[in-house]
Amino acid sequence: MAELEGRDPRFGVSGNVLRDLVSLGHACGEMTTAGITARVVKQATAAKKCAYIDVLRDTAPCSIGPVSVFVSHAWASELSSVVDALGVIADSLDQRTATGASQASVEAVEGGGDGETFYWFDPLINNAHTVNDKPLSFWCDSTEAAISTAGCLIAVLTHWNDAKLFTRSWCVYEIFCAKEAGAQCEVRMPSSQTHEFGRALLADSECAAPVLSLIDSKSAEAKDSTQQQHLAGLIASSPGGFEDLDRFMRSMLQTWFVDAAWSFATSLLRATTVDGPAKSRSPSTTSTQSIPKPPPPTLTPSTDTSNFFQHAAQMCISFGMKAKAKEFELLIQTT
């Protein structure tokens, strides 16, 4: 891996490293990934002019291991929200699935529940001191290699109605690489977003449509126009081009919306069942969602619950997911 020195695609960092980074950022008043990279990561690596992961090799070697998840996120996001979405500050599988990840996908990422997950997280893998010394081809090749090695990409959105990630050229390129490599791809969000999206869907069955309409890979932007044009060219020259990638990204986000709606629906059933949790089936083509830890919403049981199920079914139909719509329609009979 000499040609990828300083950005070895084989290794990632543990969840504890990401959690500790949030604490270090808070201590110096920084919240975003960009701010924490500048104030924490660069200072911690200033003496050796190396990547943060290289410091960890000397100080905490157990926090480094074979990469299994590539994290794609916007650097303007608050790091605590990103870490929450990944589930690394959750105490249980129930809380991790509340981030929008199905139990099956969590187990796939975490090796069936055994072993530790190691994340490819750009600010800690890149050498922040030599970023401008590498050619664009280096960044493209190493990104592709890391995603292919991990076999799983998690695209983190910090708010259900903010598709900022899908407007950034590098994030879009990362998803493109995952798609081309046949890697597992999914969207995750902070646990609070399941509740927030559920309330929005209760009010408007078409609330997801404006967010999905923002997905337009051809219009994705980067700070450097040369990089933007190069990445767009790679996507445009691939089979299916921008149109195929947009369909793929919409499908990722639609899956999160449906999974989040199912999780919210199940919490409603629990809230409105007198004799304990209601037994309901998960969507036939969607993995079972565990119940999120936040308390269920205060709603009018007979009216709001039924309306939510109807709106969720309508949303699924608009996505072309008729089988999932049937699952929500069946729930109406329980109200």
Side-chain angles (χ1 to χ4, degrees), residues 3 38 50 55 73 78 121 134 141 146 187 204 248 279 324 326 330:
E3 71 278 9
C50 63
V55 172
H73 79 294
E78 289 194 5
F121 196 69
K134 305 289 186 182
D141 292 345
V187 168
D204 180 6
F248 184 80
K279 295 181 179 180
K324 293 183 177 65
K326 288 288 186 182
L330 288 173

Side-chain angles (χ1 to χ4, degrees), residues 69 82 237 244:
V69 174
V82 175
S237 62
D244 194 44

Side-chain angles (χ1 to χ4, degrees), residues 206-219:
E206 298 181 357
C207 66
V211 187
L212 291 165
S213 69
L214 297 176
I215 295 178
D216 180 10
S217 56
K218 188 175 183 178
S219 300

Side-chain angles (χ1 to χ4, degrees), residues 75-97:
W75 280 38
S77 302
E78 289 194 5
L79 183 57
S80 60
S81 294
V82 175
V83 171
D84 180 5
L86 293 174
V88 300
I89 55 177
D91 295 323
S92 68
L93 180 62
D94 283 353
Q95 285 174 288
R96 290 198 295 278
T97 54

Side-chain angles (χ1 to χ4, degrees), residues 123-168:
L124 306 186
I125 310 297
N126 295 342
N127 185 337
H129 305 281
T130 62
V131 168
N132 297 324
D133 299 338
K134 305 289 186 182
L136 181 54
S137 59
F138 168 85
W139 299 109
C140 292
D141 292 345
S142 58
T143 295
E144 181 180 354
I147 292 171
S148 180
T149 301
C152 173
L153 177 143
I154 292 179
V156 177
L157 275 65
T158 54
H159 298 281
W160 74 266
N161 59 353
D162 183 0
K164 185 183 302 179
L165 177 139
F166 295 110
T167 69
R168 305 306 302 162

